Amino acid sequence: MKFLGCAMVLLLGACAVNKTPLSPHGQLNVCLRDEVNNMKNDGRLETLGKAAVAQKAARYCLDKLKMTDAFSQDMAYRNADFLLSGSDGISLK
């Protein structure tokens, strides 16, 4: 019983430590997801419309993460639009 308790503590500790950090584009996707969800929840989607919300979310996340390259900018706008197109539960990869 004591062994089982020690094994559980070690297993849970190992799970909590050494998480692989997200890549910059992974961080961008998380930011976009959170920002789009915030805008949906507070009513800005209905007020501003899909295109404006996608642009605002993309600009906010690009500025926040200091991403200025063309690839990241294109990715941010496409992924924000994708998130607004009813992609609940779909992972951005």
Side-chain angles (χ1 to χ4, degrees):
M1 198 63 153
K2 192 175 189 180
F3 174 74
L4 182 61
C6 290
M8 291 290 286
V9 169
L10 288 174
L11 181 62
L12 292 174
C15 291
V17 179
N18 260 348
K19 292 279 185 183
T20 303
L22 291 174
S23 69
H25 290 122
Q27 292 174 9
L28 177 63
N29 286 335
V30 168
C31 180
L32 288 169
R33 181 200 62 208
D34 293 345
E35 193 62 19
V36 164
N37 285 337
N38 288 340
M39 289 180 170
K40 282 181 179 179
N41 292 336
D42 68 13
R44 284 183 277 176
L45 178 58
E46 291 82 23
T47 305
L48 300 172
K50 180 182 161 188
V53 166
Q55 289 178 354
K56 285 183 178 289
R59 273 188 259 138
Y60 170 79
C61 292
L62 289 165
D63 288 344
K64 178 181 176 182
L65 297 170
K66 297 176 178 45
M67 298 176 107
T68 58
D69 61 285
F71 177 77
S72 296
Q73 291 176 2
D74 184 52
M75 176 188 226
Y77 291 110
R78 281 186 294 116
N79 288 353
D81 184 58
F82 181 75
L83 286 166
L84 289 164
S85 298
S87 63
D88 294 337
I90 297 174
S91 173
L92 295 173
K93 293 186 180 188

